[in-house]
Amino acid sequence: MSKPKVFIAMKGVPEVAINLLRKRFEVEICESIQSTKEEMLKKIPGFFGIFCCPSIMINEEVMKAAGPSLKVIGTMSVGYDHVNLPVMKTNGIRLGYTPDVLTETVAETTVGLLISTTRRFFEANHAVKTGGWKNWTPTWMCGKGIKNSVVGIIGCGNIGTSIAKKLVTFEISQLLYTSRSEKPAVKALGGKLVTVDELVEKSDFIILAIALNEDTKFIINGERLAKMKSHAILVNIGRGGLIDQDELIKALQEKRIGGAGLDVMTPEPLPLDNPLMKMDNVVLLPHIGSASIETRIEMALITANNIIAVLDNKPMPNEVHC
């Protein structure tokens, strides 16, 4: 009797997870670094499961191409805005994801991104490597420190809470946050629950750690960028669609805010001719928030076990219920 089939839609998945799947499935891995739409549509008819990541769109066309055999999608991520949930639900397909496991790694990346942006680390490193470091002056490469600043976190789930815990150790003057309800753990740190508008007006550092959905798309728009302090640093580790990127570019070009640190953007990868690429006050990372070896291995194993659970008709370790 032949095994059911799983399609892994990108290369580089840790072997330990692939080997786990191979015990129960016939596993096929995409031919390119990341599966194209054309390859996906060609490969997946008759497959039981798809192992994917946020940059791979699982839309109605893909699910229809797979046919009635498709029972599970496992995404190696916390976010799942790349999956068409209504179509998935209509077709009785289950979705597994990887929350919690990457909380600390993403929080670490966020703090590093904030520091490197406000203290101009990448700009300074470039100066060292290109001959820009000639003579020392007291104000050369100075940036704003975190101590005594107001930090605002938009979205205080597990990741936002971990970020808050780390940043209060920098002796900030005030911690503001947004959430659907008050978070006792953040309140215990001195955090104050506020509206998004109050947060962007008062914060020196604004961190986006919220999921992308219809309610949060462009939560940072032109109007809110206009309310920010002229030295404010905006950090995004959520999804690119949380920010109206065209408006952000205008605000940065006109020096209406101090800078931006982005681990996510629109589109991904960002074209080399995008204006953000040319700005000294912008730090760009290639969506590596969870990129520690330990975290990625655990994410891959959770994704594999989510898929196996559906084969065994058991609860997933982490299932999205929609």
Side-chain angles (χ1 to χ4, degrees):
M1 185 175 178
S2 62
K3 294 179 180 179
K5 296 189 287 186
V6 166
F7 182 67
I8 298 181
M10 65 278 197
K11 291 190 182 297
V13 172
E15 281 295 322
V16 64
I18 296 173
N19 292 336
L20 183 63
L21 286 170
R22 282 184 172 141
K23 292 177 181 179
R24 307 293 303 278
F25 298 97
E26 179 183 331
V27 175
E28 186 163 343
I29 302 172
C30 72
E31 296 172 358
S32 51
I33 292 176
Q34 182 173 294
S35 182
T36 63
K37 176 185 174 183
E38 292 73 23
E39 182 186 7
M40 183 88 77
L41 295 176
K42 179 182 176 181
K43 293 281 188 183
I44 63 171
F47 274 64
F48 179 87
I50 299 172
F51 187 122
C52 66
C53 64
S55 56
I56 298 168
M57 300 302 296
I58 308 296
N59 55 22
E60 183 175 10
E61 189 177 8
V62 169
M63 286 185 262
K64 280 186 175 180
S69 65
L70 184 63
K71 302 300 180 186
V72 58
I73 298 162
T75 182
M76 199 171 143
S77 61
V78 174
Y80 44 85
D81 50 284
H82 56 295
V83 180
N84 188 317
L85 297 182
V87 173
M88 186 195 77
K89 185 177 181 181
T90 299
N91 288 277
I93 301 166
R94 293 166 66 184
L95 174 62
Y97 70 139
T98 60
D100 304 330
V101 60
L102 46 65
T103 295
E104 291 306 310
T105 309
V106 175
E108 289 172 5
T109 300
T110 307
V111 174
L113 185 54
L114 187 155
I115 294 171
S116 61
T117 305
T118 188
R119 294 292 301 277
R120 304 168 66 182
F121 284 177
F122 282 72
E123 187 182 353
N125 178 262
H126 180 74
V128 171
K129 292 182 176 181
T130 58
W133 183 23
K134 299 182 184 300
N135 298 304
W136 182 88
T137 61
T139 57
W140 188 64
M141 287 295 169
C142 284
K144 181 173 175 55
I146 300 172
K147 185 177 180 179
N148 297 325
S149 68
V150 178
V151 172
I153 302 175
I154 298 177
C156 244
N158 290 339
I159 293 173
T161 300
S162 181
I163 294 167
K165 288 177 180 177
K166 290 170 174 52
L167 287 178
V168 295
T169 65
F170 286 77
E171 299 180 31
I172 62 176
S173 67
Q174 191 174 19
L175 172 64
L176 306 177
Y177 73 99
T178 70
S179 183
R180 290 175 183 156
S181 59
E182 193 168 68
K183 300 288 186 180
V186 183
K187 184 179 180 180
L189 297 170
K192 179 183 178 183
L193 179 64
V194 296
T195 65
V196 175
D197 289 314
E198 183 178 351
L199 185 146
V200 298
E201 287 177 4
K202 294 183 176 180
S203 299
D204 300 300
F205 300 103
I206 299 160
I207 299 166
L208 294 172
I210 196 169
L212 176 63
N213 54 46
E214 288 302 315
D215 294 330
T216 61
K217 184 178 180 180
F218 289 179
I219 195 167
I220 298 299
N221 51 28
E223 183 180 345
R224 284 180 170 145
L225 284 161
K227 293 179 179 180
M228 293 181 189
K229 296 177 180 179
S230 60
H231 62 260
I233 299 291
L234 178 63
V235 174
N236 188 8
I237 49 86
R239 286 289 185 269
L242 296 171
I243 298 175
D244 185 332
Q245 196 163 280
D246 291 338
E247 291 296 328
L248 174 62
I249 289 169
K250 289 179 187 177
L252 289 164
Q253 288 174 332
E254 296 168 8
K255 301 190 183 302
R256 289 187 278 115
I257 65 171
L262 309 174
D263 185 43
V264 288
M265 52 218 75
T266 307
E268 294 180 359
L270 193 68
L272 295 178
D273 61 354
N274 188 282
L276 291 171
M277 293 286 196
K278 303 174 178 65
M279 296 181 183
D280 291 336
N281 58 344
V282 175
V283 174
L284 301 173
L285 299 179
H287 203 150
I288 57 168
S290 63
S292 75
I293 295 169
E294 301 84 357
T295 297
R296 290 288 171 84
I297 289 173
E298 193 168 355
M299 289 171 71
L301 285 170
I302 291 171
T303 304
N305 281 312
N306 280 336
I307 293 170
I308 291 168
V310 176
L311 180 65
D312 293 336
N313 197 28
K314 292 181 178 179
M316 287 186 186
N318 292 283
E319 182 167 3
V320 175
H321 297 283
C322 56

